Amino acid sequence: MRRTPVRTLIAVLVAVAVVGWLVLRALESRGVYLPVVPWLVDVAILALAGVVFWMGWAVRAYQKGKRPSLDGIRAARTLVLAKAAALTGALLGGWYLAQVLVVLGDLAIEPRRDRAVAAGIAVLCSVVLAAIGLVVEKFCELPPSDKDRTSSEEGESPAPA
């Protein structure tokens, strides 16, 4: 499995932000307004980032020789969770960024400003989740084997971990 490219995460964030902005503008033109993003969303996103990092830290400790054993299935699940966290962070970041963009012109109105601030904090928390996902993916990367080293010395690209 290859690591998630940062370009992909940025593309997902931008695409969701654009589509979300269009949908939210259409809803608001019909008189439908979303509520302010609750602070519990931020706590939940950061808690998920903490769990992903904690699981990745165990894999990193094993790779550094500081942990005697680690189940291979747990390491694989940690990698999949890290990849999912990175993509989820990009998706959520795009959604909350769309909410910020919708109210950007109305920041003089206090409820709209509160909504922009709450959504902006959610964007930051989502970016943290995506970044933690990428870091944990790096933790789960296997060191190159002897076969990979010889093939890369001969000009071939190493096999993905």
Side-chain angles (χ1 to χ4, degrees):
M1 184 181 293
R2 288 183 288 164
R3 291 181 49 206
T4 306
V6 175
R7 288 187 313 265
T8 301
L9 297 179
I10 292 171
V12 166
L13 186 136
V14 169
V16 171
V18 168
V19 171
W21 178 77
L22 292 171
V23 168
L24 291 173
R25 293 288 293 180
L27 287 173
E28 285 193 355
S29 70
R30 292 187 172 88
V32 178
Y33 295 94
L34 290 180
V36 174
V37 178
W39 62 269
L40 189 57
V41 167
D42 304 329
V43 172
I45 291 171
L46 292 177
L48 180 59
V51 168
V52 172
F53 187 78
W54 174 72
M55 291 180 70
W57 194 258
V59 174
R60 182 181 182 276
Y62 174 75
Q63 293 234 14
K64 298 280 185 187
K66 297 177 182 174
R67 184 181 173 131
S69 66
L70 180 73
D71 184 26
I73 295 295
R74 180 174 177 193
R77 287 179 180 159
T78 301
L79 175 61
V80 171
L81 181 64
K83 187 174 272 299
L87 290 170
T88 301
L91 286 167
L92 289 174
W95 171 246
Y96 293 121
L97 181 60
Q99 292 184 34
V100 170
L101 293 174
V102 165
V103 297
L104 209 53
D106 301 330
L107 293 180
I109 303 169
E110 187 174 345
R112 302 286 274 179
R113 184 175 52 245
D114 293 344
R115 184 172 164 198
V117 168
I121 292 170
V123 169
L124 292 176
C125 293
S126 299
V127 169
V128 166
L129 177 62
I132 292 290
L134 290 175
V135 167
V136 171
E137 279 186 38
K138 179 71 175 161
F139 288 170
C140 295
E141 190 174 71
L142 293 174
S145 66
D146 291 335
K147 181 181 176 184
D148 292 338
R149 286 188 194 128
T150 58
S151 63
S152 64
E153 289 171 0
E154 295 170 3
E156 300 174 18
S157 61

